[in-house]
Amino acid sequence: MSTSATTRASSTVPSSAEVAIAEVTDAITPPVLPGAGGKRTRVRRHGPISPLGRVLIYVMLTVLTAIIFVPFFWMVSSSLKQNNEVFSIPVQWIPTEFVWQNYVDIWTRIPMLTYLKNSLFLSVTITILQVLTGSFAAYGFSKMHFKGRDVLFVAYIATIAVASWPFLLLCSLPLGPAFAAGCWSFQRSRDAADAGPLREVGIGLLRTWRAALAVWSLVCALTFVVVIDIVAVWGTPFAMLLGPLLVVVLLLAVVAAFGVFAGLAAAPGLRFRAQLLGGLVRTVRRPGTSLLSLVLLAAWALIVLAQPVLGLLALGGFVLYAVWSNAAAALAD
Amino acid sequence: MAIAAPPQRTRSSSRVRRNALVGWSFILPNFIGFALLTLIPMCAAFVIAFMKWDSYSPPEWVGFANFARMMRDESFWIALGNTAYYAAGHIPLTILASLGLALLLNRKLRGLGFFRTAMFFPYITSLVAVAVVWNMLFNPTAGPINQFLELIGVADPPGWTTSSAWAMPAVIITSVWRDMGYYMVLYLAGLQSIPQEYYEAAEVDGANAWQRFWNITIPSLRPTTFFVLIMVTIASFKVFDLIVVMTGGGPGRSTLVLSQLIYREGITENRFGYSSAISLVLFVIVLVFTVVQFKLQQRKER
């Protein structure tokens, strides 16, 4: 519900160019044609209007119309005045002398024809392009069901920035469920001797991927914010204080995420909020364990950076097992 | 279903692929224009907002420096305040005026078409022409408005676009005059979709005109009002052309609005990064207002 609200909301915030185009089309095709609508549209009435009421309404409408038309009247009347007569005291509503010459001058003094041609070209081109491509696209979006349609639609309205490292961060999302599944497999292998480790990975993936994905998304979002913040305070006096603080917060979050993964494996029945809270509390209350997990993960990250193949293939399982057993130990008491 | 799936899979997957091709080809013409003119520039603005970029040096990543600068920039706060002022005047007045006009014109009358067209007239007129004419009408000494005010006994009529206190009210009056016809049409459509039976039933129950209005018309118009509210809010926050032509942001900075500040910083001063940062803030403001309105509407519907 909330996502649909946001996407619809952002779709109503187009660029100024879009609005200009939309206004052109709006002006040409208003929802109800006001002039033509008078006779044909269904008009509501509560019985007959009394003659007095009718007169009153006509008087009101006439006064309103007059007020609304004052600027137009002024425009027409000024266009027929001498320059010095436009601002005269008292106001000259009707020119003393009709200067039709003004309408001749606009064609000779300025390239009026070129201006008109430009305006005409713009409005015709914009209208044709907009109606043609817009109706096609609307048909495609509403009547066709195809792969990538919803993604495309979201791209149309959400327009999210994609930079390089945030993109990598997004790509790392599957890591969360993978870690959680690993923890699940370790847990089951310890609980029951005959459990097939690989099969348990699959089961764990199925059972925990939602929660794990949510937790890992949180970590990614936090990483994003922290990196942006560090870039922002870099070089300012605050960096001394804020930089380490932000890094510590981020590291804590990473360890807490692993704590939650271990918790998901140990007590799959628990509610998500309880899991999250438990992971956080364990991380903060067992600083020694957290630190150990952190050191292990950091060492692993360093090895992966130096020797990606060796780090990922040979050491990944071991490091993960160590981190998990560490977290599970914290879980046990 | 699940058992019958395998033999059908090849056929359905080729159909899916063809569907995708056809669907994309329907959307592609529009998407090319949309991507080139809206999507890419918007994404670029989100990135440029974190850069220092002017016409003298290559772009350089500066993180939140543009936003920090914005916090210290007096013009930004003035523009933000003025935008809020404009919105606070324009939104309620436009809604009231257009609803009033729609109620007045939603009956069987001779010449109804003429009156409806008359009310819609300001909206289809060129905005620049409108602004120029109203500027003349608002002329503090020789303009018809002040001469009329003096006629009815206002000794010291306001200076309108030449006074920093009255420039914004002048702009708001002009914009309400221009926009009310358009939203009146939306309200008319809303009014005509209210079933006549409601009113008949209310009359049988002895409800007077006022009660019918409050208990039938206003609640039935809620979706229309909601739509109008969103459209007017977005339009108010993005007001640009009317202000540029009528006052140019002046006198002083008394009518400077955010869109104009974005234009000035980006196009006139060539500070693309800073300008993008302001537009990002404006985007977030409009987004927040729209989302809040959506939420409130959803809660009311429940």
Short mmCIF file of all heavy atoms in Angstrom, two decimals, chain A residues 12 14 19 26 35 42-45 58 65 68 71-72 74 87-88 90-91 133 136 144-146 155-156 159 228 231, chain B residues 19-20 22 26 30-31 34 39 42 61 64 106-108 110 115 117 119 125 133 144 147 177 182 192 196 234 238:
data_model
loop_
_atom_site.label_atom_id
_atom_site.label_comp_id
_atom_site.label_asym_id
_atom_site.label_seq_id
_atom_site.Cartn_x
_atom_site.Cartn_y
_atom_site.Cartn_z
N THR A 12 3.54 12.15 -9.85
CA THR A 12 2.90 13.45 -9.99
C THR A 12 3.90 14.57 -9.85
O THR A 12 3.53 15.71 -9.71
CB THR A 12 1.78 13.61 -8.96
OG1 THR A 12 2.33 13.28 -7.69
CG2 THR A 12 0.62 12.73 -9.26
N PRO A 14 6.53 15.63 -12.12
CA PRO A 14 7.34 15.58 -13.32
C PRO A 14 8.23 16.81 -13.44
O PRO A 14 8.08 17.77 -12.67
CB PRO A 14 6.30 15.56 -14.43
CG PRO A 14 5.08 16.19 -13.85
CD PRO A 14 5.20 16.16 -12.36
N VAL A 19 5.70 19.24 -17.38
CA VAL A 19 4.52 19.99 -16.99
C VAL A 19 4.08 20.91 -18.11
O VAL A 19 2.90 21.01 -18.43
CB VAL A 19 4.80 20.79 -15.71
CG1 VAL A 19 3.70 21.81 -15.47
CG2 VAL A 19 4.90 19.86 -14.53
N ASP A 26 -3.34 19.62 -21.75
CA ASP A 26 -4.49 19.86 -20.87
C ASP A 26 -5.38 20.94 -21.43
O ASP A 26 -6.60 20.83 -21.45
CB ASP A 26 -4.01 20.28 -19.48
CG ASP A 26 -3.73 19.07 -18.63
OD1 ASP A 26 -3.97 17.96 -19.13
OD2 ASP A 26 -3.27 19.23 -17.49
N GLY A 35 -17.30 24.77 -22.83
CA GLY A 35 -18.26 25.43 -23.70
C GLY A 35 -19.30 24.46 -24.21
O GLY A 35 -20.50 24.65 -24.05
N ARG A 42 -25.05 16.24 -18.08
CA ARG A 42 -26.20 16.08 -17.20
C ARG A 42 -26.15 17.19 -16.15
O ARG A 42 -25.16 17.39 -15.48
CB ARG A 42 -26.11 14.72 -16.51
CG ARG A 42 -27.41 14.23 -15.95
CD ARG A 42 -27.34 12.72 -15.83
NE ARG A 42 -26.15 12.32 -15.08
CZ ARG A 42 -26.12 12.23 -13.76
NH1 ARG A 42 -27.19 12.48 -13.06
NH2 ARG A 42 -25.02 11.85 -13.14
N VAL A 43 -27.19 17.95 -16.04
CA VAL A 43 -27.21 19.06 -15.09
C VAL A 43 -28.14 18.71 -13.93
O VAL A 43 -29.26 18.25 -14.13
CB VAL A 43 -27.66 20.36 -15.79
CG1 VAL A 43 -27.77 21.48 -14.77
CG2 VAL A 43 -26.68 20.73 -16.87
N ARG A 44 -27.64 18.93 -12.73
CA ARG A 44 -28.41 18.57 -11.55
C ARG A 44 -29.33 19.72 -11.20
O ARG A 44 -29.00 20.88 -11.35
CB ARG A 44 -27.44 18.33 -10.40
CG ARG A 44 -27.90 17.31 -9.42
CD ARG A 44 -26.97 17.36 -8.25
NE ARG A 44 -27.16 18.57 -7.51
CZ ARG A 44 -26.17 19.25 -6.95
NH1 ARG A 44 -24.94 18.87 -7.08
NH2 ARG A 44 -26.42 20.34 -6.25
N ARG A 45 -30.51 19.38 -10.72
CA ARG A 45 -31.37 20.47 -10.24
C ARG A 45 -32.22 19.95 -9.10
O ARG A 45 -32.64 18.79 -9.08
CB ARG A 45 -32.22 21.01 -11.38
CG ARG A 45 -33.16 19.99 -11.97
CD ARG A 45 -33.64 20.41 -13.32
NE ARG A 45 -33.78 19.24 -14.18
CZ ARG A 45 -34.90 18.51 -14.22
NH1 ARG A 45 -35.93 18.83 -13.50
NH2 ARG A 45 -34.97 17.46 -15.00
N TYR A 58 -28.19 35.12 -11.92
CA TYR A 58 -27.70 35.78 -13.14
C TYR A 58 -26.89 37.02 -12.79
O TYR A 58 -25.85 37.29 -13.39
CB TYR A 58 -28.87 36.15 -14.05
CG TYR A 58 -29.20 35.05 -15.01
CD1 TYR A 58 -30.41 34.37 -14.96
CD2 TYR A 58 -28.27 34.68 -15.99
CE1 TYR A 58 -30.70 33.34 -15.82
CE2 TYR A 58 -28.56 33.66 -16.86
CZ TYR A 58 -29.77 32.99 -16.77
OH TYR A 58 -30.02 31.96 -17.64
N THR A 65 -18.33 37.33 -14.06
CA THR A 65 -17.76 37.30 -15.41
C THR A 65 -17.11 38.63 -15.73
O THR A 65 -16.02 38.69 -16.31
CB THR A 65 -18.86 36.98 -16.43
OG1 THR A 65 -19.58 35.86 -15.96
CG2 THR A 65 -18.27 36.68 -17.77
N ILE A 68 -13.85 38.84 -14.01
CA ILE A 68 -12.86 37.97 -14.64
C ILE A 68 -12.39 38.55 -15.97
O ILE A 68 -11.24 38.38 -16.37
CB ILE A 68 -13.45 36.56 -14.80
CG1 ILE A 68 -13.38 35.86 -13.44
CG2 ILE A 68 -12.73 35.76 -15.86
CD1 ILE A 68 -14.01 34.53 -13.39
N PRO A 71 -9.23 42.09 -16.94
CA PRO A 71 -7.89 42.10 -17.53
C PRO A 71 -7.90 41.95 -19.05
O PRO A 71 -7.10 42.57 -19.73
CB PRO A 71 -7.21 40.90 -16.88
CG PRO A 71 -7.93 40.72 -15.61
CD PRO A 71 -9.34 41.06 -15.89
N PHE A 72 -8.84 41.13 -19.55
CA PHE A 72 -8.89 40.98 -21.01
C PHE A 72 -9.33 42.27 -21.67
O PHE A 72 -8.78 42.69 -22.68
CB PHE A 72 -9.86 39.85 -21.38
CG PHE A 72 -9.38 38.52 -20.96
CD1 PHE A 72 -9.99 37.85 -19.92
CD2 PHE A 72 -8.30 37.94 -21.58
CE1 PHE A 72 -9.53 36.63 -19.51
CE2 PHE A 72 -7.83 36.72 -21.18
CZ PHE A 72 -8.45 36.05 -20.14
N TRP A 74 -8.96 45.22 -20.49
CA TRP A 74 -7.84 46.14 -20.37
C TRP A 74 -6.81 45.87 -21.47
O TRP A 74 -6.25 46.78 -22.08
CB TRP A 74 -7.22 45.99 -18.98
CG TRP A 74 -5.98 46.78 -18.78
CD1 TRP A 74 -4.70 46.35 -18.94
CD2 TRP A 74 -5.90 48.15 -18.39
NE1 TRP A 74 -3.82 47.35 -18.67
CE2 TRP A 74 -4.54 48.48 -18.33
CE3 TRP A 74 -6.85 49.12 -18.10
CZ2 TRP A 74 -4.10 49.74 -17.97
CZ3 TRP A 74 -6.40 50.38 -17.74
CH2 TRP A 74 -5.04 50.68 -17.68
N PHE A 87 -1.30 54.48 -19.13
CA PHE A 87 -1.38 54.81 -17.70
C PHE A 87 -1.84 56.25 -17.54
O PHE A 87 -1.03 57.15 -17.41
CB PHE A 87 -0.03 54.61 -17.04
CG PHE A 87 0.32 53.17 -16.86
CD1 PHE A 87 1.47 52.65 -17.42
CD2 PHE A 87 -0.53 52.33 -16.16
CE1 PHE A 87 1.78 51.31 -17.25
CE2 PHE A 87 -0.22 50.99 -15.99
CZ PHE A 87 0.94 50.47 -16.55
N SER A 88 -3.11 56.46 -17.58
CA SER A 88 -3.61 57.83 -17.39
C SER A 88 -4.49 57.86 -16.14
O SER A 88 -5.01 56.84 -15.71
CB SER A 88 -4.42 58.26 -18.61
OG SER A 88 -5.54 57.40 -18.75
N PRO A 90 -7.77 59.93 -14.57
CA PRO A 90 -8.34 58.62 -14.21
C PRO A 90 -8.21 57.61 -15.35
O PRO A 90 -7.89 57.98 -16.46
CB PRO A 90 -9.81 58.97 -13.96
CG PRO A 90 -10.06 60.17 -14.78
CD PRO A 90 -8.79 60.94 -14.83
N VAL A 91 -8.52 56.37 -15.01
CA VAL A 91 -8.35 55.29 -15.98
C VAL A 91 -9.20 55.53 -17.22
O VAL A 91 -10.38 55.87 -17.13
CB VAL A 91 -8.75 53.95 -15.36
CG1 VAL A 91 -8.60 52.84 -16.38
CG2 VAL A 91 -7.92 53.67 -14.15
N THR A 133 3.07 9.14 -28.99
CA THR A 133 3.88 8.24 -28.16
C THR A 133 3.16 7.94 -26.85
O THR A 133 3.22 6.84 -26.35
CB THR A 133 5.25 8.86 -27.85
OG1 THR A 133 5.05 10.04 -27.09
CG2 THR A 133 6.00 9.18 -29.11
N PHE A 136 0.43 5.27 -27.32
CA PHE A 136 1.06 3.96 -27.52
C PHE A 136 1.57 3.40 -26.19
O PHE A 136 1.33 2.25 -25.84
CB PHE A 136 2.22 4.08 -28.52
CG PHE A 136 1.80 3.82 -29.93
CD1 PHE A 136 1.30 4.83 -30.71
CD2 PHE A 136 1.92 2.55 -30.46
CE1 PHE A 136 0.90 4.58 -32.01
CE2 PHE A 136 1.53 2.30 -31.77
CZ PHE A 136 1.01 3.32 -32.55
N MET A 144 -0.83 -4.62 -22.16
CA MET A 144 0.11 -5.71 -22.40
C MET A 144 0.71 -6.15 -21.06
O MET A 144 0.97 -5.32 -20.19
CB MET A 144 1.25 -5.27 -23.32
CG MET A 144 0.83 -4.52 -24.54
SD MET A 144 0.06 -5.56 -25.78
CE MET A 144 1.40 -6.67 -26.13
N HIS A 145 0.88 -7.46 -20.93
CA HIS A 145 1.57 -7.95 -19.74
C HIS A 145 2.86 -8.60 -20.20
O HIS A 145 2.81 -9.60 -20.91
CB HIS A 145 0.70 -8.95 -18.98
CG HIS A 145 -0.53 -8.31 -18.45
ND1 HIS A 145 -0.57 -7.67 -17.24
CD2 HIS A 145 -1.74 -8.16 -19.00
CE1 HIS A 145 -1.77 -7.17 -17.06
NE2 HIS A 145 -2.51 -7.44 -18.11
N PHE A 146 3.97 -8.01 -19.86
CA PHE A 146 5.22 -8.57 -20.34
C PHE A 146 6.29 -8.39 -19.29
O PHE A 146 6.14 -7.62 -18.33
CB PHE A 146 5.64 -7.92 -21.66
CG PHE A 146 5.82 -6.44 -21.57
CD1 PHE A 146 7.03 -5.88 -21.22
CD2 PHE A 146 4.75 -5.60 -21.83
CE1 PHE A 146 7.19 -4.53 -21.14
CE2 PHE A 146 4.91 -4.23 -21.74
CZ PHE A 146 6.13 -3.70 -21.38
N ALA A 155 10.68 2.71 -13.12
CA ALA A 155 11.76 3.59 -13.59
C ALA A 155 11.18 4.90 -14.08
O ALA A 155 11.73 5.97 -13.87
CB ALA A 155 12.54 2.92 -14.71
N TYR A 156 10.02 4.80 -14.72
CA TYR A 156 9.37 6.00 -15.22
C TYR A 156 9.08 6.96 -14.09
O TYR A 156 9.20 8.16 -14.21
CB TYR A 156 8.04 5.62 -15.89
CG TYR A 156 8.03 5.81 -17.38
CD1 TYR A 156 8.51 4.84 -18.23
CD2 TYR A 156 7.51 6.96 -17.94
CE1 TYR A 156 8.49 5.00 -19.59
CE2 TYR A 156 7.48 7.13 -19.31
CZ TYR A 156 7.97 6.16 -20.13
OH TYR A 156 7.94 6.32 -21.47
N THR A 159 12.61 7.14 -10.82
CA THR A 159 13.86 7.77 -11.24
C THR A 159 14.90 7.84 -10.12
O THR A 159 15.14 8.87 -9.52
CB THR A 159 13.64 9.17 -11.81
OG1 THR A 159 12.83 9.90 -10.93
CG2 THR A 159 13.00 9.08 -13.14
N ILE A 228 28.23 8.00 2.62
CA ILE A 228 27.91 9.37 2.20
C ILE A 228 28.30 10.35 3.30
O ILE A 228 28.91 11.41 3.04
CB ILE A 228 26.39 9.49 1.90
CG1 ILE A 228 26.04 8.68 0.67
CG2 ILE A 228 26.01 10.96 1.72
CD1 ILE A 228 26.00 9.44 -0.62
N VAL A 231 32.06 10.82 3.52
CA VAL A 231 32.52 11.69 2.43
C VAL A 231 32.19 13.15 2.76
O VAL A 231 32.97 14.06 2.51
CB VAL A 231 31.85 11.27 1.10
CG1 VAL A 231 32.14 12.29 0.02
CG2 VAL A 231 32.38 9.91 0.67
N ASN B 19 5.27 -11.32 -26.31
CA ASN B 19 4.52 -10.30 -25.58
C ASN B 19 5.43 -9.17 -25.13
O ASN B 19 5.10 -8.00 -25.26
CB ASN B 19 3.88 -10.93 -24.35
CG ASN B 19 2.39 -10.89 -24.44
OD1 ASN B 19 1.85 -10.32 -25.39
ND2 ASN B 19 1.71 -11.49 -23.47
N ALA B 20 6.58 -9.56 -24.60
CA ALA B 20 7.53 -8.56 -24.11
C ALA B 20 7.97 -7.67 -25.25
O ALA B 20 8.02 -6.44 -25.12
CB ALA B 20 8.73 -9.25 -23.47
N VAL B 22 6.42 -7.00 -28.07
CA VAL B 22 5.35 -6.12 -28.50
C VAL B 22 5.14 -5.01 -27.48
O VAL B 22 5.03 -3.84 -27.82
CB VAL B 22 4.04 -6.93 -28.70
CG1 VAL B 22 2.89 -5.99 -29.01
CG2 VAL B 22 4.21 -7.93 -29.83
N PHE B 26 5.66 -0.90 -27.96
CA PHE B 26 4.61 0.10 -27.73
C PHE B 26 5.17 1.26 -26.90
O PHE B 26 4.84 2.41 -27.11
CB PHE B 26 3.43 -0.52 -26.99
CG PHE B 26 2.34 -0.99 -27.89
CD1 PHE B 26 2.09 -2.34 -28.05
CD2 PHE B 26 1.58 -0.08 -28.60
CE1 PHE B 26 1.09 -2.77 -28.88
CE2 PHE B 26 0.58 -0.50 -29.44
CZ PHE B 26 0.34 -1.85 -29.58
N ASN B 30 7.83 6.50 -26.63
CA ASN B 30 7.66 7.43 -25.53
C ASN B 30 8.84 7.36 -24.58
O ASN B 30 9.32 8.37 -24.08
CB ASN B 30 6.37 7.10 -24.79
CG ASN B 30 6.01 8.15 -23.78
OD1 ASN B 30 6.57 8.19 -22.71
ND2 ASN B 30 5.10 9.03 -24.14
N PHE B 31 9.34 6.15 -24.39
CA PHE B 31 10.41 5.96 -23.41
C PHE B 31 11.68 6.69 -23.84
O PHE B 31 12.39 7.24 -23.01
CB PHE B 31 10.69 4.48 -23.21
CG PHE B 31 11.71 4.21 -22.15
CD1 PHE B 31 11.38 4.38 -20.81
CD2 PHE B 31 12.99 3.85 -22.48
CE1 PHE B 31 12.32 4.17 -19.83
CE2 PHE B 31 13.94 3.62 -21.50
CZ PHE B 31 13.60 3.79 -20.17
N PHE B 34 11.17 10.24 -22.96
CA PHE B 34 11.11 10.36 -21.50
C PHE B 34 12.50 10.19 -20.90
O PHE B 34 12.91 10.95 -20.03
CB PHE B 34 10.16 9.29 -20.97
CG PHE B 34 10.23 9.08 -19.49
CD1 PHE B 34 9.71 10.02 -18.62
CD2 PHE B 34 10.83 7.94 -18.97
CE1 PHE B 34 9.78 9.83 -17.26
CE2 PHE B 34 10.91 7.75 -17.62
CZ PHE B 34 10.38 8.69 -16.76
N LEU B 39 14.18 11.35 -17.42
CA LEU B 39 14.79 10.36 -16.53
C LEU B 39 16.27 10.63 -16.34
O LEU B 39 16.75 10.76 -15.20
CB LEU B 39 14.56 8.96 -17.13
CG LEU B 39 14.90 7.79 -16.23
CD1 LEU B 39 13.97 7.80 -15.04
CD2 LEU B 39 14.75 6.49 -16.98
N MET B 42 17.06 13.90 -14.57
CA MET B 42 16.70 13.85 -13.16
C MET B 42 17.72 13.04 -12.37
O MET B 42 18.17 13.45 -11.30
CB MET B 42 15.32 13.22 -13.00
CG MET B 42 14.31 14.20 -12.45
SD MET B 42 12.75 13.39 -12.21
CE MET B 42 12.86 13.05 -10.48
N TRP B 61 33.63 15.97 -6.88
CA TRP B 61 32.74 15.43 -5.85
C TRP B 61 32.98 16.15 -4.53
O TRP B 61 34.10 16.19 -4.04
CB TRP B 61 33.02 13.93 -5.70
CG TRP B 61 32.07 13.25 -4.78
CD1 TRP B 61 32.24 13.02 -3.46
CD2 TRP B 61 30.78 12.73 -5.12
NE1 TRP B 61 31.14 12.39 -2.95
CE2 TRP B 61 30.24 12.20 -3.94
CE3 TRP B 61 30.05 12.66 -6.31
CZ2 TRP B 61 28.98 11.61 -3.90
CZ3 TRP B 61 28.80 12.07 -6.26
CH2 TRP B 61 28.29 11.55 -5.07
N PHE B 64 28.30 16.53 0.78
CA PHE B 64 27.16 17.32 1.21
C PHE B 64 27.46 18.82 1.29
O PHE B 64 26.71 19.56 1.89
CB PHE B 64 26.65 16.81 2.56
CG PHE B 64 25.75 15.61 2.44
CD1 PHE B 64 26.27 14.38 2.14
CD2 PHE B 64 24.38 15.74 2.59
CE1 PHE B 64 25.46 13.27 2.02
CE2 PHE B 64 23.56 14.65 2.46
CZ PHE B 64 24.10 13.40 2.16
N ASN B 106 -23.37 24.79 -11.56
CA ASN B 106 -23.87 23.43 -11.69
C ASN B 106 -25.39 23.42 -11.60
O ASN B 106 -25.97 22.83 -10.71
CB ASN B 106 -23.27 22.55 -10.59
CG ASN B 106 -23.65 21.11 -10.79
OD1 ASN B 106 -23.63 20.62 -11.91
ND2 ASN B 106 -24.00 20.44 -9.72
N ARG B 107 -26.05 24.12 -12.47
CA ARG B 107 -27.51 24.11 -12.49
C ARG B 107 -28.00 24.40 -13.89
O ARG B 107 -27.22 24.70 -14.78
CB ARG B 107 -28.07 25.12 -11.49
CG ARG B 107 -27.40 26.47 -11.55
CD ARG B 107 -27.83 27.35 -10.42
NE ARG B 107 -26.90 27.33 -9.31
CZ ARG B 107 -27.28 27.17 -8.04
NH1 ARG B 107 -28.53 26.97 -7.74
NH2 ARG B 107 -26.39 27.20 -7.09
N LYS B 108 -29.32 24.25 -14.05
CA LYS B 108 -29.86 24.46 -15.38
C LYS B 108 -30.15 25.94 -15.57
O LYS B 108 -30.99 26.52 -14.88
CB LYS B 108 -31.16 23.66 -15.52
CG LYS B 108 -31.27 22.99 -16.86
CD LYS B 108 -32.55 22.20 -16.98
CE LYS B 108 -32.59 21.48 -18.31
NZ LYS B 108 -32.22 20.10 -18.21
N ARG B 110 -30.08 29.26 -18.65
CA ARG B 110 -29.84 29.68 -20.02
C ARG B 110 -28.46 30.36 -20.06
O ARG B 110 -28.09 31.09 -19.15
CB ARG B 110 -30.93 30.67 -20.43
CG ARG B 110 -31.20 30.72 -21.90
CD ARG B 110 -32.40 31.60 -22.15
NE ARG B 110 -33.65 30.91 -21.81
CZ ARG B 110 -34.31 30.13 -22.70
NH1 ARG B 110 -33.82 29.95 -23.90
NH2 ARG B 110 -35.43 29.54 -22.36
N PHE B 115 -21.14 31.20 -19.59
CA PHE B 115 -20.52 31.52 -18.30
C PHE B 115 -19.38 30.56 -17.99
O PHE B 115 -18.33 30.95 -17.49
CB PHE B 115 -21.56 31.50 -17.18
CG PHE B 115 -22.47 32.69 -17.23
CD1 PHE B 115 -23.83 32.51 -17.40
CD2 PHE B 115 -21.98 33.98 -17.10
CE1 PHE B 115 -24.68 33.61 -17.44
CE2 PHE B 115 -22.82 35.07 -17.15
CZ PHE B 115 -24.18 34.89 -17.33
N THR B 117 -17.51 28.95 -20.11
CA THR B 117 -16.37 29.28 -20.96
C THR B 117 -15.66 30.53 -20.44
O THR B 117 -14.43 30.59 -20.43
CB THR B 117 -16.85 29.52 -22.41
OG1 THR B 117 -17.75 28.47 -22.74
CG2 THR B 117 -15.69 29.54 -23.36
N MET B 119 -15.39 31.58 -17.43
CA MET B 119 -14.58 31.29 -16.24
C MET B 119 -13.31 30.52 -16.61
O MET B 119 -12.31 30.59 -15.92
CB MET B 119 -15.37 30.45 -15.23
CG MET B 119 -16.69 31.03 -14.81
SD MET B 119 -16.51 32.64 -14.04
CE MET B 119 -18.21 33.13 -13.88
N THR B 125 -5.36 31.46 -21.61
CA THR B 125 -4.62 32.61 -22.11
C THR B 125 -3.13 32.43 -21.78
O THR B 125 -2.79 31.86 -20.75
CB THR B 125 -5.14 33.89 -21.46
OG1 THR B 125 -6.55 33.86 -21.51
CG2 THR B 125 -4.62 35.10 -22.16
N VAL B 133 -0.40 41.99 -18.22
CA VAL B 133 -1.61 42.79 -18.06
C VAL B 133 -1.90 43.05 -16.58
O VAL B 133 -2.22 44.16 -16.18
CB VAL B 133 -2.80 42.09 -18.75
CG1 VAL B 133 -4.10 42.75 -18.35
CG2 VAL B 133 -2.62 42.14 -20.25
N PRO B 144 -5.76 50.63 -12.77
CA PRO B 144 -7.20 50.66 -12.48
C PRO B 144 -7.53 50.16 -11.08
O PRO B 144 -8.47 50.68 -10.46
CB PRO B 144 -7.79 49.73 -13.54
CG PRO B 144 -6.76 49.56 -14.57
CD PRO B 144 -5.44 49.82 -13.94
N GLN B 147 -6.87 52.89 -8.55
CA GLN B 147 -7.80 54.00 -8.77
C GLN B 147 -9.18 53.64 -8.27
O GLN B 147 -9.89 54.47 -7.69
CB GLN B 147 -7.82 54.36 -10.25
CG GLN B 147 -6.51 54.98 -10.67
CD GLN B 147 -6.65 55.73 -11.98
OE1 GLN B 147 -7.68 56.32 -12.26
NE2 GLN B 147 -5.59 55.70 -12.77
N TRP B 177 -6.87 33.92 -9.92
CA TRP B 177 -7.71 34.32 -11.06
C TRP B 177 -7.48 33.42 -12.26
O TRP B 177 -8.41 33.03 -12.95
CB TRP B 177 -7.39 35.78 -11.41
CG TRP B 177 -8.02 36.28 -12.66
CD1 TRP B 177 -9.28 36.78 -12.81
CD2 TRP B 177 -7.42 36.34 -13.97
NE1 TRP B 177 -9.50 37.15 -14.10
CE2 TRP B 177 -8.38 36.88 -14.84
CE3 TRP B 177 -6.17 35.99 -14.47
CZ2 TRP B 177 -8.13 37.08 -16.19
CZ3 TRP B 177 -5.92 36.19 -15.82
CH2 TRP B 177 -6.89 36.73 -16.66
N TYR B 182 -9.80 26.33 -14.32
CA TYR B 182 -9.38 24.96 -14.61
C TYR B 182 -9.88 24.00 -13.54
O TYR B 182 -10.47 22.95 -13.83
CB TYR B 182 -7.85 24.91 -14.71
CG TYR B 182 -7.32 23.54 -14.98
CD1 TYR B 182 -7.50 22.95 -16.22
CD2 TYR B 182 -6.63 22.84 -14.00
CE1 TYR B 182 -7.02 21.69 -16.48
CE2 TYR B 182 -6.14 21.58 -14.26
CZ TYR B 182 -6.33 21.01 -15.49
OH TYR B 182 -5.85 19.77 -15.75
N GLN B 192 -21.17 16.48 -10.97
CA GLN B 192 -22.15 15.79 -11.80
C GLN B 192 -22.11 14.29 -11.64
O GLN B 192 -22.98 13.60 -12.14
CB GLN B 192 -21.92 16.20 -13.26
CG GLN B 192 -22.34 17.64 -13.41
CD GLN B 192 -22.21 18.17 -14.80
OE1 GLN B 192 -21.80 17.47 -15.71
NE2 GLN B 192 -22.57 19.42 -14.96
N GLN B 196 -28.28 11.87 -8.13
CA GLN B 196 -29.39 12.74 -7.79
C GLN B 196 -30.21 12.16 -6.63
O GLN B 196 -30.77 12.90 -5.82
CB GLN B 196 -30.26 12.90 -9.05
CG GLN B 196 -31.50 13.74 -8.88
CD GLN B 196 -31.15 15.19 -8.64
OE1 GLN B 196 -30.11 15.67 -9.08
NE2 GLN B 196 -32.01 15.89 -7.92
N ILE B 234 1.29 20.80 -5.84
CA ILE B 234 2.49 20.64 -6.66
C ILE B 234 2.73 21.89 -7.49
O ILE B 234 3.84 22.40 -7.57
CB ILE B 234 2.34 19.39 -7.54
CG1 ILE B 234 2.37 18.15 -6.67
CG2 ILE B 234 3.45 19.32 -8.57
CD1 ILE B 234 2.01 16.89 -7.39
N LYS B 238 5.98 24.66 -7.35
CA LYS B 238 6.86 24.79 -8.51
C LYS B 238 6.63 26.10 -9.25
O LYS B 238 7.14 26.27 -10.35
CB LYS B 238 6.63 23.61 -9.45
CG LYS B 238 7.02 22.31 -8.80
CD LYS B 238 7.28 21.24 -9.80
CE LYS B 238 6.10 21.07 -10.72
NZ LYS B 238 6.24 19.88 -11.54
#
